Amino acid sequence: MPDQKRIGFIGLSAQSSWASTSHLLYLQKTSLYKITALQNSSKTSAEAAATKYSLGNVATFDNPTELASSSDVDIIAVSVKVPEHYKLAKPALEAGKDVFVEWPLARNLAEAEELVQLAREKGVRTMVGLQARQSPSILKAKEIVQSGKLGKILTSTMFGHGAIFGPVMNDAFSYGLPIEAGANLLSIPFGHAVDALCYVLGELKDVSATLANLLPELDLIDKDGKPVGKAKKTAHDQINITGQLVNGGGLVNVTYAGGLSRTNRDFVWEIIGTEGTLILEGGRMGGHVQMYQPTVKLAEGQKELETVEFEKAADFSYNVGKAWDAWAEVGLDKGHAVTTFEDALVRHKMIDAIYRSAEKGTKESYL
Amino acid sequence: MPDQKRIGFIGLSAQSSWASTSHLLYLQKTSLYKITALQNSSKTSAEAAATKYSLGNVATFDNPTELASSSDVDIIAVSVKVPEHYKLAKPALEAGKDVFVEWPLARNLAEAEELVQLAREKGVRTMVGLQARQSPSILKAKEIVQSGKLGKILTSTMFGHGAIFGPVMNDAFSYGLPIEAGANLLSIPFGHAVDALCYVLGELKDVSATLANLLPELDLIDKDGKPVGKAKKTAHDQINITGQLVNGGGLVNVTYAGGLSRTNRDFVWEIIGTEGTLILEGGRMGGHVQMYQPTVKLAEGQKELETVEFEKAADFSYNVGKAWDAWAEVGLDKGHAVTTFEDALVRHKMIDAIYRSAEKGTKESYL
């Protein structure tokens, strides 16, 4: 198959992880792509993953510059801890490869801007893992809003729990505790959710934000749930923003709290228009709208709230798979699209505006 | 009964109204108070009310200065349209009477400050109709928060519909359409609800607000539901504020939308703490938490959400009645209290800060 693209994957470990339960699951089923190289922290670890997942005779690397120079790779995919994104993506861009990076693109706006600028200069194609944009629930919500069934949007209120940054946290994620890591409640679950919001309703004119770090010391547990001590946290665990839509001036509120819900309200998003109201609700872990599919209910005019039926995502490979498909120009007619570094930059600018707003007590624009 | 206080009531009409279904219903049952005078727009109207409600040989008045000078009156109660509050309450205060005024105390902060200052100078007792503070649901929520069952408060998110300022509105309320009237979504339903919030959780350090007037022209209907034309509106129909609690810095969000809910979410208030979560939910019209009683559910620690049982308010006379009782020092041991002009002034200052914040795009303090 001449059009099959060759992927050099950074971050596929032999332990089950996000990369294996989402990207790999899709890549093993598609004929559009083929993994031809792996890079891990060591060649041994890369070889272990190749064996575990029966990837055949893939090349293995332990550093991004060598991987980037491989002539057997068209696209480099980066699926590792957020703090590593910048330094792993940069050599790939410099080598002129097309690049996929998970969201957040980088630790902060400055790093993201540098990567976007580099991609522009090199004229390469980019994609970022804001995969809520491929969620059937979110696409259905976008379709309903665009159909005009809700009329003019008056108020959108979104509430979610971010799972991370409850009082007890898995120590595997302790790298996210310092705010500088850029891997936290604001950038990850809130970031994915607000990206879905803006995908459905359009961007915000401005944001006013309140952030709080009310649990500055967390109890850490290991993967078996055993206590392994305490750790300081500087990232925020409670988030609230308010703003207005560019399109029509409807009010937007997003609230994210750390931990999980005690009340089965892990995600509730209500969009109220002059002609109808839409509610998206997610169960346990539902605050991670990029991974878990909320239900969609619609009340048109004076009619009762009704469940909207649509094809559900079977597993974590669905959303990322539709994005990979779209990158190969498959499914574009079904509303799937490629979310680029440029899109990610808008979201990074928004998050930066949120930090500025919370710090200075001012309404901030990001567009 | 020597301690029975004599009330001169302004605004009791022969047509059923808030005053008759709440205050009158209580005052006809209590021995603590007696209505001895009525003031309406005309003596004829006052006499009609006296007859209709079998109030006996009450004095009738058509202006506040004469009522205020009556030696048969200890307390003057003002229960009329908000724009009239100031000019009706002022003569009563000047005459040195104790005064009750419905919430909002006045059209704006300046008027409220003047009334408060006058009451201070005259050394009279005052009460304002922020009657959510007597709601069994709100008192139960306050008791639970103060018991420490929720631990440290992390996030409080409140969402309500205000009934008024949907696309179609009863023309009897058209006096509330100009923002200058001070009788609108922000001052009335939001004002009562945020007052309940602050009564339960304490005041906010500051507020960031977004306000919108997205329905600047409404269709009016008469009391039979017949269309009677359109009217311009300058008051806001969508409200969103964010802030932090003085006590502990927990995040607070309040969203109010005009009209009624299409999705049975007329009022949802969730308070998330380190140790437990409380949810108050109100059915149709529930956004008016000062009148309608939300249910209360509590999830402690890892336990399931459970309904909290308590004595329900039988009718609209309950909340106002407990306030009148408290003014006579009855029920203070049960958590009932008198909400004074000074308390109302804090809420007026908050609303003024909300307007400033929305206009200037800044975080504003009000304490």
Side-chain angles (χ1 to χ4, degrees), chain A residues 284-330:
Chain A
R284 195 138 184 100
M285 285 297 288
H288 284 258
V289 71
Q290 76 281 11
M291 296 161 74
Y292 295 86
Q293 304 291 326
T295 57
V296 179
K297 294 178 187 168
L298 172 65
E300 283 188 81
Q302 299 310 309
K303 285 191 271 181
E304 294 278 295
L305 197 62
E306 286 188 0
T307 299
V308 178
E309 301 293 344
F310 51 89
E311 185 202 347
K312 295 295 191 302
D315 54 42
F316 291 161
S317 75
Y318 184 97
N319 295 353
V320 300
K322 293 300 179 192
W324 284 112
D325 279 354
W327 214 16
E329 301 191 354
V330 171

Side-chain angles (χ1 to χ4, degrees), chain B residues 107-361:
Chain B
R107 281 182 292 199
N108 52 48
L109 178 57
E111 279 189 358
E113 278 175 333
E114 195 182 329
L115 293 180
V116 167
Q117 187 54 37
L118 190 54
R120 283 177 195 157
E121 285 166 14
K122 295 290 181 176
V124 300
R125 297 186 72 197
T126 61
M127 185 161 73
V128 73
L130 281 163
Q131 67 267 10
R133 296 194 189 199
Q134 315 297 346
S135 158
S137 303
I138 301 303
L139 286 173
K140 183 54 72 176
K142 187 176 172 75
E143 177 194 318
I144 290 169
V145 168
Q146 291 187 338
S147 75
K149 281 182 186 174
L150 305 187
K152 178 176 175 173
I153 303 303
L154 300 172
T155 279
S156 161
T157 177
M158 181 186 273
F159 170 84
H161 272 274
I164 58 170
F165 298 169
V168 177
M169 208 185 69
N170 197 305
D171 68 348
F173 191 64
S174 60
Y175 68 85
L177 298 172
I179 196 166
E180 296 77 19
N184 50 51
L185 186 69
L186 183 65
S187 65
I188 301 174
F190 171 92
H192 281 287
V194 83
D195 185 68
L197 186 152
C198 293
Y199 194 54
V200 172
L201 298 176
E203 298 294 333
L204 308 188
K205 285 178 191 174
D206 43 49
V207 285
S208 298
T210 316
L211 304 176
N213 175 21
L214 298 178
L215 302 169
E217 190 175 74
L218 303 183
D219 290 319
L220 297 184
I221 50 170
D222 66 15
K223 62 182 168 51
D224 302 319
K226 282 190 196 149
V228 290
K230 290 177 180 296
K232 302 281 186 197
K233 174 170 70 61
T234 53
H236 301 95
D237 45 58
Q238 314 296 322
I239 296 163
N240 193 220
I241 69 159
T242 168
Q244 278 192 284
L245 295 171
V246 170
N247 299 330
L251 260 55
V252 170
N253 159 254
V254 186
T255 300
Y256 256 73
L260 286 167
S261 175
R262 296 184 184 91
T263 66
N264 301 317
R265 282 185 12 111
D266 267 278
F267 184 74
V268 185
W269 180 15
E270 179 157 345
I271 307 169
I272 301 165
T274 51
E275 309 299 326
T277 300
L278 197 63
I279 293 194
L280 281 76
E281 286 176 306
R284 194 139 185 97
M285 286 296 289
H288 284 257
V289 71
Q290 75 282 12
M291 296 162 73
Y292 296 86
Q293 303 291 326
T295 57
V296 179
K297 294 178 187 169
L298 171 65
E300 283 188 81
Q302 299 311 308
K303 285 193 270 180
E304 293 279 295
L305 197 61
E306 287 189 359
T307 299
V308 178
E309 302 293 346
F310 51 89
E311 185 202 349
K312 295 295 191 300
D315 53 43
F316 291 161
S317 76
Y318 183 95
N319 294 353
V320 299
K322 293 299 179 194
W324 283 112
D325 280 354
W327 214 16
E329 301 192 353
V330 171
L332 301 178
D333 56 325
K334 292 175 185 157
H336 297 289
V338 178
T339 310
T340 67
F341 282 15
E342 303 278 350
D343 297 313
L345 184 59
V346 173
R347 206 58 52 228
H348 271 289
K349 285 181 176 174
M350 183 191 207
I351 287 173
D352 197 67
I354 288 170
Y355 279 125
R356 292 199 310 273
S357 173
E359 194 177 323
K360 301 193 295 174

Side-chain angles (χ1 to χ4, degrees), chain A residues 14-89:
Chain A
Q15 276 82 48
S16 176
S17 67
W18 170 249
S20 65
T21 56
S22 61
H23 296 284
L24 180 67
L25 204 58
Y26 162 80
L27 293 171
Q28 286 180 321
K29 288 183 290 192
T30 187
S31 58
L32 299 168
Y33 301 95
K34 181 180 168 60
I35 296 177
T36 54
L38 290 182
Q39 185 211 311
N40 283 19
S41 52
S42 69
K43 281 201 169 213
T44 313
S45 154
E47 282 155 13
T51 305
K52 159 103 179 190
Y53 301 117
S54 308
L55 295 178
N57 197 23
V58 298
T60 54
F61 298 90
D62 64 2
N63 79 78
T65 310
E66 281 181 32
L67 172 67
S69 68
S70 167
S71 59
D72 289 334
V73 164
D74 305 306
I75 300 167
I76 289 174
V78 178
S79 182
V80 298
K81 296 173 182 175
V82 175
E84 314 284 312
H85 285 183
Y86 168 82
K87 70 181 180 199
L88 294 174

Side-chain angles (χ1 to χ4, degrees), chain A residues 16-270:
Chain A
S16 176
S17 67
W18 170 249
S20 65
T21 56
S22 61
H23 296 284
L24 180 67
L25 204 58
Y26 162 80
L27 293 171
Q28 286 180 321
K29 288 183 290 192
T30 187
S31 58
L32 299 168
Y33 301 95
K34 181 180 168 60
I35 296 177
T36 54
L38 290 182
Q39 185 211 311
N40 283 19
S41 52
S42 69
K43 281 201 169 213
T44 313
S45 154
E47 282 155 13
T51 305
K52 159 103 179 190
Y53 301 117
S54 308
L55 295 178
N57 197 23
V58 298
T60 54
F61 298 90
D62 64 2
N63 79 78
T65 310
E66 281 181 32
L67 172 67
S69 68
S70 167
S71 59
D72 289 334
V73 164
D74 305 306
I75 300 167
I76 289 174
V78 178
S79 182
V80 298
K81 296 173 182 175
V82 175
E84 314 284 312
H85 285 183
Y86 168 82
K87 70 181 180 199
L88 294 174
K90 193 175 174 185
L93 295 168
E94 283 170 337
K97 303 290 188 190
D98 291 344
V99 182
F100 166 85
V101 179
E102 299 285 9
W103 170 261
L105 177 54
R107 282 181 292 199
N108 51 49
L109 178 57
E111 279 189 359
E113 279 176 331
E114 195 182 330
L115 293 180
V116 168
Q117 187 54 37
L118 190 54
R120 283 176 195 156
E121 285 165 15
K122 294 291 181 176
V124 299
R125 297 186 72 199
T126 61
M127 185 160 74
V128 74
L130 281 163
Q131 66 268 8
R133 296 195 189 199
Q134 315 298 346
S135 159
S137 303
I138 301 303
L139 286 173
K140 183 52 72 176
K142 187 176 171 74
E143 178 193 318
I144 290 168
V145 169
Q146 291 188 337
S147 75
K149 282 181 185 174
L150 305 188
K152 179 176 175 173
I153 303 304
L154 300 172
T155 280
S156 160
T157 177
M158 181 186 273
F159 170 84
H161 272 273
I164 57 169
F165 298 167
V168 177
M169 209 185 68
N170 198 304
D171 69 346
F173 191 63
S174 59
Y175 68 86
L177 298 173
I179 196 166
E180 296 78 17
N184 50 52
L185 186 69
L186 183 65
S187 66
I188 302 174
F190 171 92
H192 281 287
V194 83
D195 185 66
L197 186 152
C198 292
Y199 195 54
V200 171
L201 298 176
E203 297 294 333
L204 309 188
K205 285 179 191 172
D206 44 49
V207 284
S208 298
T210 316
L211 304 175
N213 176 20
L214 298 178
L215 302 169
E217 190 176 74
L218 303 183
D219 290 320
L220 297 183
I221 51 170
D222 66 15
K223 63 181 167 50
D224 302 317
K226 283 190 197 148
V228 290
K230 291 178 180 294
K232 302 280 186 197
K233 174 170 70 61
T234 53
H236 301 95
D237 46 58
Q238 314 296 322
I239 296 164
N240 194 220
I241 70 159
T242 167
Q244 278 192 284
L245 294 171
V246 170
N247 299 328
L251 258 55
V252 170
N253 159 253
V254 185
T255 300
Y256 257 73
L260 286 167
S261 175
R262 295 184 185 93
T263 66
N264 300 317
R265 281 182 17 109
D266 268 279
F267 184 74
V268 185
W269 180 16
E270 180 157 346

